[in-house]
Amino acid sequence: MMNNREFNTERRRLCIAGTALLGSSFFPSIVNAQASSGTFRIGALNSITGSGSSYGVGMQKIIIAMAERINALGGAGGRKLEVFAEDDQTKPEAGVLAAKKLLDVNKVGAILGTFSSGVTLAVMPLTDAADAILMNTSGAPSISERNTKGFSWRFEATNDRYGRAFAQAAKNNGFERPATMAFNNASGLSNTQGFKEAWEAAGGKVVQSVVYEPNRPSYRSEVQKIIEAKPDVVVMGSYLQDTTIILREWYQSGYDLRWIMPNWAGNEALIKALGKDVCEGVLTVGTISNEGSPALEDFNTLYQKLTGNPGSTNSYASMCYDMVVVLALAMEAAGPNASSVEINAKIPEVAGADGTVVHSFEEGREKLKSGKISYQGASSKLNFDKRGDASPDFSINIIKNGVIERQSRVQV
């Protein structure tokens, strides 16, 4: 896999109409900066560095690969896709700078793949002002509230739904004295707030709530504050890097408790960093990909080819796979030379609850000739609601002897 330094060198000059993909690396071809009437420009804005980097590289590779595939099929709506790739560094400030470049310099009509809620919320005013489509994998409920123009499409579950899934995990495992720890950003705070609201609505009490700042070398004081409240479980709104530090310092304390966290923090990388003993009994919660779907099978094959890793290790990349297909189908439905506004209006018609079910761009393009379609993707069935949100199911998992096993599947 390309390392971050190499990736960042390439990303500033990446513009593809057709990208050669060899093994786990890609080599961009440089095209004229002036868009032609035969192309539609999209920005791949992903977390190549920062706390979302364990997912962002694979997300960006999938966007590029799927754009190449659409182009090989003749394009969508009579146009080829050009991809301009940028790194948001999992930071709102960097995301804004990158989005401005994509919108003002590269003149993209859509931005795909923002991961962090903070980045998505910071970029939304820019895409709204430009009438550009924004497809994201973020969870903050405020994204829906601010989606007043209807240009934002969320492929991930909202964090308040994550919170309800956390509460279900705590209930299923018999916990009675939960505490919460939240990374101080929109995603972390809304995760734990969603849990607290669901837990208290069922008559429970949260014994301690701690908010911590990013990029700290140690969280010993925050961990000690949690331990003093004597909880039996801690619910996390966190990322992989900070979770790794927190669990290491908790384990060194010797205090006996359990952890519930989102699957982007509690994954194979956490086990690798800390070892199976530290991670034993950790519960993780995450959305479930569209199991049994031909789209998921295709995504898994493609992701393995691009990265050398199973598709199951990056559910956010499956969302990016779906983003390109949905965008291309909406372009096809809108017709030749359609504007981003016209393309955006077609998204509910190709990925809503109604219509003939399809699982690929090729199938969808054919079925569009005879009426409305419902693309059901690799990440979920999508079925976007009026707020532009998809509604995937959740998996509650447990780490046993260094292996992540599913406990149950839930709808919340």
Side-chain angles (χ1 to χ4, degrees):
M1 180 179 294
M2 184 179 291
N3 64 39
N4 285 341
R5 178 174 296 177
E6 292 169 333
F7 203 105
N8 285 332
T9 300
E10 291 297 318
R11 68 181 176 83
R12 286 292 176 186
R13 62 186 186 90
L14 176 59
C15 172
I16 64 163
T19 300
L21 290 157
L22 300 173
S24 64
S25 299
F26 62 87
F27 301 89
S29 59
I30 307 303
V31 302
N32 194 300
Q34 180 63 41
S36 71
S37 60
T39 62
F40 183 83
R41 294 182 160 200
I42 63 177
L45 183 54
N46 308 104
S47 298
I48 305 306
T49 57
S51 56
S53 60
S54 57
Y55 299 106
V57 173
M59 293 166 72
Q60 200 162 92
K61 285 179 179 289
I62 281 289
I63 292 172
I64 292 168
M66 289 302 293
E68 185 199 37
R69 178 182 290 184
I70 299 299
N71 290 341
L73 293 167
R79 285 184 284 183
K80 297 292 182 72
L81 299 176
E82 295 183 47
V83 179
F84 295 82
E86 292 290 335
D87 177 12
D88 64 30
Q89 302 176 36
T90 332
K91 296 177 181 178
E93 299 85 357
V96 166
L97 290 175
K100 285 181 177 179
K101 175 182 178 293
L102 291 170
L103 294 166
D104 298 340
V105 178
N106 304 128
K107 306 297 183 183
V108 301
I111 290 179
L112 277 57
T114 53
F115 171 76
S116 163
S117 293
V119 171
T120 297
L121 287 166
V123 168
M124 278 181 72
L126 304 177
T127 50
D128 276 357
D131 287 342
I133 298 163
L134 177 63
M135 295 180 171
N136 68 83
T137 69
S138 306
S142 53
I143 292 170
S144 301
E145 297 164 7
R146 299 184 192 182
N147 189 24
T148 55
K149 292 188 68 172
F151 281 98
S152 174
W153 302 92
R154 187 203 309 261
F155 287 67
E156 170 66 299
T158 58
N159 283 344
D160 52 351
R161 291 185 65 225
Y162 262 95
R164 295 196 293 272
F166 290 157
Q168 190 64 52
K171 177 182 177 182
N172 291 354
N173 286 272
F175 298 119
E176 298 179 349
R177 291 180 54 82
T180 66
M181 292 189 73
F183 188 102
N184 191 13
N185 71 358
S187 177
L189 294 171
S190 55
N191 265 321
T192 54
Q193 183 61 31
F195 166 77
K196 184 177 180 181
E197 291 173 358
W199 189 255
E200 292 179 346
K205 180 182 178 181
V206 175
V207 299
Q208 182 61 277
S209 295
V210 171
V211 176
Y212 62 90
E213 299 302 321
N215 303 319
R216 295 271 300 278
S218 173
Y219 294 101
R220 289 188 186 279
S221 61
E222 290 87 349
V223 170
Q224 185 58 39
K225 189 174 181 180
I226 287 289
I227 290 173
E228 289 171 356
K230 295 182 170 50
D232 53 7
V233 67
V234 180
V235 176
M236 299 285 286
S238 59
Y239 295 101
L240 175 63
Q241 294 175 356
D242 43 288
T243 301
T244 302
I245 297 170
I246 289 169
L247 260 65
R248 181 182 292 116
E249 293 179 341
W250 153 73
Y251 190 75
Q252 291 170 352
S253 76
Y255 183 77
D256 185 23
L257 58 75
R258 299 276 297 282
W259 299 83
I260 299 174
M261 62 188 62
N263 65 347
W264 59 79
N267 53 26
E268 288 83 358
L270 183 73
I271 300 170
K272 183 178 180 180
L274 295 176
K276 63 182 182 180
D277 291 343
V278 179
C279 297
E280 184 69 16
V282 167
L283 294 163
T284 73
V285 175
T287 53
I288 299 176
S289 296
N290 193 10
E291 295 173 343
S293 163
L296 179 59
E297 183 178 353
D298 181 63
F299 160 74
N300 287 335
T301 300
L302 180 59
Y303 193 80
Q304 182 78 45
K305 178 182 178 182
L306 293 173
T307 69
N309 297 312
S312 59
T313 62
N314 194 343
S315 61
Y316 303 98
S318 71
M319 297 175 196
C320 289
Y321 173 103
D322 289 340
M323 289 176 191
V324 180
V325 177
V326 169
L327 178 64
L329 287 172
M331 290 173 62
E332 193 73 22
N337 298 318
S339 68
S340 57
V341 175
E342 293 167 328
I343 294 167
N344 188 71
K346 293 295 182 180
I347 291 176
E349 297 182 21
V350 301
D354 301 326
T356 302
V357 173
V358 299
H359 298 98
S360 68
F361 172 72
E362 303 96 306
E363 185 183 7
R365 180 168 60 183
E366 183 62 30
K367 295 296 184 182
L368 272 171
K369 296 175 182 177
S370 55
K372 201 172 182 180
I373 63 171
S374 175
Y375 171 68
Q376 297 189 0
S379 61
S380 74
K381 293 181 179 180
L382 299 180
N383 296 345
F384 291 113
D385 61 21
K386 294 179 180 179
R387 305 190 308 173
D389 295 338
S391 300
D393 292 343
F394 286 86
S395 175
I396 298 174
N397 314 296
I398 186 169
I399 300 177
K400 290 185 177 180
N401 197 31
V403 177
I404 301 174
E405 301 177 0
R406 181 180 295 178
Q407 272 193 339
S408 60
R409 179 177 184 141
V410 297
Q411 293 179 319
V412 294

